[in-house]
Amino acid sequence: MSTIDQSANVELTDDDLESDSKGQLIKLAGKLRDRRNELNQQASERASKRDELNAKTREQVDLAQEHREKRDELNDEVQEHKQKRNELNAEANELFDEVEEMKGDLELDESKDLDELEEEIEKLEFRQQTEVLSTEDERELIEKIENKREQYRERKEALDDTDGLEEVKAEAEEIRAEASEHHEKVTELADEAQEHHNQMIEAYREADDVRDEADEWHEKFVEAQEAADRHHEDFVEVQKRLREMDKEEEQERKSERDQRREEAEAEAEEIYEQFKQGETLDTEDLMKLQKAGKL
């Protein structure tokens, strides 16, 4: 709906009130009343459209608030999972450090495993049994075999002491896995929170757009209502002038009646004097006396 049609408005001037006849003023009052009613109807329609848009604005604001609350709720959960993840990672790191320390104490990092040592011993023993060696070479070979067997015993003893290490390592890996689950939850909830944030922004943007349109309709409502009010005020002025004219006419009629009554009374008084002096009165004179209350 565009601005009101100014050409359809009815104008009232002081000259109209002072110079127009009663009939002209009655016609003008009708035009003012009809235009006022048209403008009030337009104002009502524009107010309805404005109220409809304001309601839609409130809906969008409420929707945005719902997304804000959900986003904040999810962000709180994100922080809870982050804190739990960090706590678990710290705990796991401590346990892994403990594993490394235990491994260092056991000197396992650079040591050969039992299968490798056993294989080396078997090869040396096979050489001892199958080769013809000098006394010196055989003595050196026997020493190598004994050294390997000693390494094997030490390695086996060390590995027998690693049960606790494996338990610590398993616990650390279990805690690290739990921390990873919390990290996945952080990522999942953060993505969901971001989606609600985006929807909140979109709802606020839509609310702003609709509010701007509602403001435009409010301006149009004010324009129509002010024009209607002006026509109503002019209508009231014309009605007031018509009532004044009615009073003036009534006063004129009253003055005329009073004048005629006074004239009739004077004439009746004159006829009555004639009657008292013995003059003969006709029927019309008698009626005048009777009407004046002289008979």
Side-chain angles (χ1 to χ4, degrees):
M1 184 180 293
S2 60
T3 59
I4 63 174
D5 181 7
Q6 298 291 341
S7 65
N9 289 344
V10 181
E11 300 299 328
L12 174 68
T13 66
D14 291 339
D15 187 59
D16 293 330
L17 290 173
E18 294 173 2
S19 304
D20 281 3
S21 66
K22 185 176 181 180
Q24 289 174 317
L25 288 175
I26 290 174
K27 185 177 180 181
L28 181 58
K31 290 180 178 179
L32 287 167
R33 180 197 60 225
D34 293 343
R35 182 57 177 163
R36 176 201 63 189
N37 293 344
E38 289 175 5
L39 290 166
N40 276 331
Q41 179 62 31
Q42 290 184 30
S44 177
E45 292 171 357
R46 295 176 182 201
S48 296
K49 183 64 176 179
R50 175 204 62 195
D51 294 345
E52 177 186 336
L53 291 169
N54 279 333
K56 186 176 179 181
T57 298
R58 286 190 293 273
E59 289 176 3
Q60 290 299 314
V61 170
D62 290 343
L63 179 60
Q65 186 61 30
E66 289 176 9
H67 284 300
R68 178 193 291 274
E69 292 173 358
K70 186 61 179 178
R71 180 204 63 185
D72 293 346
E73 177 184 332
L74 289 167
N75 281 334
D76 288 342
E77 292 186 43
V78 166
Q79 294 305 315
E80 290 174 4
H81 284 287
K82 274 187 178 180
Q83 181 178 352
K84 189 63 178 178
R85 176 200 64 188
N86 294 341
E87 291 174 354
L88 290 169
N89 276 330
E91 185 178 352
N93 289 338
E94 289 180 2
L95 290 174
F96 278 120
D97 290 342
E98 184 178 343
V99 168
E100 293 302 317
E101 185 179 346
M102 293 173 69
K103 287 171 66 176
D105 291 343
L106 296 172
E107 298 180 349
L108 297 178
D109 290 341
E110 298 179 358
S111 301
K112 297 179 181 179
D113 61 31
L114 291 178
D115 291 339
E116 185 178 357
L117 288 170
E118 189 172 7
E119 183 179 351
E120 290 179 356
I121 292 171
E122 288 177 352
K123 286 181 179 180
L124 291 173
E125 288 178 341
F126 180 77
R127 181 184 174 191
Q128 181 188 23
Q129 294 170 5
T130 58
E131 293 184 11
V132 178
L133 303 171
S134 66
T135 302
E136 183 64 23
D137 289 341
E138 185 171 4
R139 184 180 61 81
E140 291 180 358
L141 182 60
I142 291 172
E143 287 181 1
K144 286 184 179 181
I145 293 173
E146 288 300 321
N147 287 335
K148 292 292 181 182
R149 286 175 176 170
E150 181 63 23
Q151 290 179 27
Y152 183 89
R153 284 193 298 271
E154 291 176 355
R155 176 67 175 172
K156 189 172 185 309
E157 289 176 1
L159 290 174
D160 289 342
D161 290 336
T162 61
D163 288 344
L165 181 148
E166 293 301 324
E167 289 178 2
V168 173
K169 183 178 179 182
E171 182 182 0
E173 291 174 346
E174 182 178 348
I175 293 174
R176 179 61 57 77
E178 185 179 354
S180 296
E181 292 178 1
H182 283 284
H183 179 71
E184 291 176 2
K185 200 65 179 176
V186 165
T187 302
E188 174 188 343
L189 293 172
D191 289 343
E192 188 177 351
Q194 184 62 44
E195 180 61 27
H196 281 286
H197 176 76
N198 294 340
Q199 291 177 332
M200 177 197 73
I201 296 300
E202 180 59 30
Y204 275 131
R205 185 181 295 112
E206 177 67 17
D208 288 340
D209 291 342
V210 176
R211 185 183 294 109
D212 289 342
E213 187 178 357
D215 290 343
E216 292 177 2
W217 279 98
H218 178 68
E219 291 177 2
K220 294 176 181 178
F221 157 75
V222 171
E223 178 190 28
Q225 191 61 63
E226 288 179 347
D229 291 344
R230 198 268 295 171
H231 280 73
H232 177 69
E233 290 170 2
D234 288 350
F235 171 76
V236 170
E237 283 297 314
V238 173
Q239 291 292 93
K240 179 181 178 182
R241 178 58 184 149
L242 287 171
R243 285 194 296 272
E244 290 174 353
M245 294 176 76
D246 286 342
K247 289 181 181 179
E248 290 171 359
E249 291 176 354
E250 177 60 28
Q251 187 62 39
E252 289 177 2
R253 287 193 294 271
K254 183 176 182 300
S255 297
E256 291 176 358
R257 287 196 301 271
D258 290 344
Q259 183 178 356
R260 286 196 298 270
R261 184 175 61 254
E262 291 174 0
E263 292 175 351
E265 288 178 352
E267 185 180 7
E269 185 65 31
E270 183 180 349
I271 294 172
Y272 185 64
E273 287 299 325
Q274 293 175 359
F275 173 71
K276 287 194 298 181
Q277 294 174 9
E279 293 185 14
T280 302
L281 303 179
D282 57 20
T283 303
E284 184 179 352
D285 290 337
L286 291 172
M287 291 180 62
K288 290 177 179 180
L289 290 174
Q290 186 176 12
K291 186 176 181 180
K294 299 293 184 179
L295 292 178

